[in-house]
Amino acid sequence: ANAVVVGTITIPLMKRYGVPGVFAGAVETAASMGGLIMPPMMGVGAFLMSEFLGVPYWDVVVRGFALAFVYYTSLALAVYLLCVRLLPNDPIEKLKVTTYNQVKTSVFFLAVAFLMVLMGALGMGELLAALYTAAFMFVLLLFNFLYFKYMLKDPAVAEETFLGNVRLSIETHADMTSYLTLLLATLGIMIGLFTVTGFINRMGGMMLSLGAWHIMALIFMAFAFGWLVGMGLPPTATYIIGAIVIVDPLTKLGVNPWVAHFFVFLISVWGELSPPTSLTAAISARIAEASFMRTMWVALKICLPVTLMTFAIFSRTDMVVNPGWPQILATSLVTIGTWATAFAMFGQFSKNPAVDILLRIALACFAFVTLFHPDGNVAAGSAVFVLAGTIYGIMRHRRIAPPQSGLQAQPAI
């Protein structure tokens, strides 16, 4: 849905200014997937996580901010590095947006901030906070509509009617509600079948037996299981099944429940991109009129942060266990590591291919130490060199990577 609604605007806009169709579709795929991680909504998975753990929804949201920060900053860096390589450094004419539409967009962001205040500062429950936020948003949008239509007589709102907007809202709500109702009903049947047939017990026992050999084997097997489930089910369904099958074996081996649930949550998000059945990539590729497989492959590379975070939370547990300064420190280490990995994949240190590859491999190795080394002091020391190398690399990339004349015919991605 995100790719359809937003992609119909952003993908043609990117292509208008010379972005290749494959790259435009991949960027939209990556950005749309991030919506599942972005607080304060985090898809349906975050609401389910609060139920599984028996904690307030805001406790999940606070931890989700760290994941979203790592994902979107690393994604932004990867897109920037690719744009420097692909696009000419020519000025772009800004599109004009009417004041009416600017205010409508501002109301949306203001409503999100209002929701965060209700849940975070006032401690209000998610359902009551959502109700108040909906009323708050409706009043502001109604005032905006009446003011621009009848007071200013703005041409941008001349074709709109109050009843038409209300009807559109009701139809959209009914469409979304019917989808969720059918989804939950189907999931209930699936979970019942898993329980009756004993599949969950057998899978859990198999994973525990493998984990008795080494916990890393259990983690990778759980990731593979989530990948297989994610190929055929949406993220919410993948999270429910993963939480039932995967979390219990992990916690029995000493993994913190927060880490186990966020591991499953990130697997379910990654499953939306898992080849070869990524609906998001397929929709984006269709809008971009590009190859589905190439779009999905480029999106997989751009979305590397979510893959790394899936495993990094086991070594940087404070990122999802202890909100506050420990979380900020762990998030900083993971962010630096994913930034460096993004640069190692898409950046350029030198015009000499051999030197460039050697330096990028070295940066990636130090980045993995920052992400996964169990000793926090070693990881912090490595992060200093990694951050300095990444900053230096970005400065070099800006000077030597831009195309000499116009857009390159075949993007090197």
Side-chain angles (χ1 to χ4, degrees):
N2 197 335
V4 170
V5 175
V6 182
T8 53
I9 301 172
T10 59
I11 292 176
L13 187 62
M14 284 188 277
K15 292 183 66 176
R16 180 188 303 176
Y17 292 107
V19 175
V22 170
F23 179 42
V27 171
E28 181 55 46
T29 300
S32 297
M33 280 186 54
L36 296 170
I37 304 175
M38 191 67 193
M41 305 303 179
M42 298 178 66
V44 183
F47 291 96
L48 296 173
M49 190 186 303
S50 69
E51 294 295 328
F52 275 117
L53 291 170
V55 298
Y57 177 70
W58 186 253
D59 287 355
V60 180
V61 171
V62 168
R63 291 160 172 83
F65 278 113
L67 302 179
F69 178 81
V70 173
Y71 180 79
Y72 272 112
T73 56
S74 302
L75 176 65
L77 177 61
V79 172
Y80 169 76
L81 293 172
L82 286 168
C83 287
V84 169
R85 294 173 59 185
L86 297 175
L87 300 180
N89 191 22
D90 298 331
I92 295 177
E93 181 183 356
K94 295 182 179 180
L95 296 177
K96 294 183 179 180
V97 180
T98 63
T99 306
Y100 172 69
N101 288 317
Q102 289 180 0
V103 174
K104 279 206 303 185
T105 305
S106 301
V107 169
F108 169 77
F109 287 108
L110 186 61
V112 173
F114 183 74
L115 178 64
M116 293 170 58
V117 170
L118 291 181
M119 291 194 301
L122 303 181
M124 189 176 294
E126 58 269 16
L127 294 179
L128 187 59
L131 177 61
Y132 285 149
T133 302
F136 173 78
M137 193 173 184
F138 177 81
V139 171
L140 292 181
L141 288 174
L142 177 60
F143 176 79
N144 179 55
F145 171 78
L146 295 175
Y147 179 74
F148 277 89
K149 185 173 181 67
Y150 297 107
M151 297 291 293
L152 298 182
K153 300 188 183 301
D154 194 322
V157 73
E159 301 297 326
E160 294 188 16
T161 63
F162 172 73
L163 293 179
N165 287 333
V166 172
R167 184 194 65 188
L168 180 61
S169 300
I170 295 174
E171 290 176 351
T172 303
H173 178 268
D175 181 65
M176 295 178 64
T177 304
S178 62
Y179 166 76
L180 291 175
T181 302
L182 292 172
L183 173 62
L184 292 175
T186 305
L187 290 177
I189 296 173
M190 291 182 58
I191 293 173
L193 289 174
F194 285 156
T195 304
V196 171
T197 59
F199 170 79
I200 292 176
N201 293 331
R202 291 196 300 270
M203 178 60 70
M206 187 183 350
M207 293 175 68
L208 279 173
S209 299
L210 184 59
W213 169 62
H214 200 284
I215 190 167
M216 290 303 298
L218 173 61
I219 292 172
F220 283 111
M221 182 177 180
F223 184 82
F225 173 76
W227 179 13
L228 293 175
V229 174
M231 284 195 296
L233 294 175
T236 303
T238 304
Y239 173 74
I240 293 176
I241 295 174
I244 296 172
V245 176
I246 297 173
V247 169
D248 187 59
L250 286 174
T251 54
K252 286 182 178 179
L253 290 175
V255 176
N256 187 284
W258 279 111
V259 175
H261 273 279
F262 269 106
F263 174 64
V264 175
F265 176 73
L266 290 172
I267 290 177
S268 67
V269 174
W270 192 86
E272 184 64 21
L273 187 63
S274 59
T277 57
S278 173
L279 293 179
T280 307
I283 291 171
S284 299
R286 180 65 179 271
I287 298 173
E289 299 179 343
S291 165
F292 163 62
M293 293 302 296
R294 289 187 62 198
T295 300
M296 184 173 59
W297 171 243
V298 176
L300 275 170
K301 296 169 68 176
I302 296 176
C303 289
L304 184 64
V306 73
T307 308
L308 294 176
M309 278 195 302
T310 304
F311 300 101
I313 58 175
F314 287 98
S315 54
R316 304 287 166 257
T317 57
D318 287 336
M319 186 176 176
V320 295
V321 175
N322 298 312
W325 289 110
Q327 181 190 39
I328 293 174
L329 177 59
T331 303
S332 300
L333 293 177
V334 175
T335 303
I336 292 172
T338 55
W339 284 357
T341 307
F343 183 86
M345 293 185 64
F346 304 114
Q348 186 175 354
F349 276 110
S350 172
K351 290 186 177 181
N352 186 316
V355 174
D356 181 58
I357 292 174
L358 183 62
L359 291 176
R360 287 161 64 183
I361 291 176
L363 182 65
C365 291
F366 278 100
F368 273 68
V369 172
T370 303
L371 287 168
F372 302 113
H373 199 284
D375 190 325
N377 294 327
V378 174
S382 174
V384 174
F385 293 100
V386 169
L387 181 59
T390 304
I391 294 174
Y392 172 75
I394 294 173
M395 296 172 62
R396 288 282 299 166
H397 184 82
R398 292 179 58 184
R399 291 198 298 267
I400 65 177
Q404 297 299 319
S405 59
L407 185 67
Q408 301 299 308
Q410 294 295 330
I413 52 178

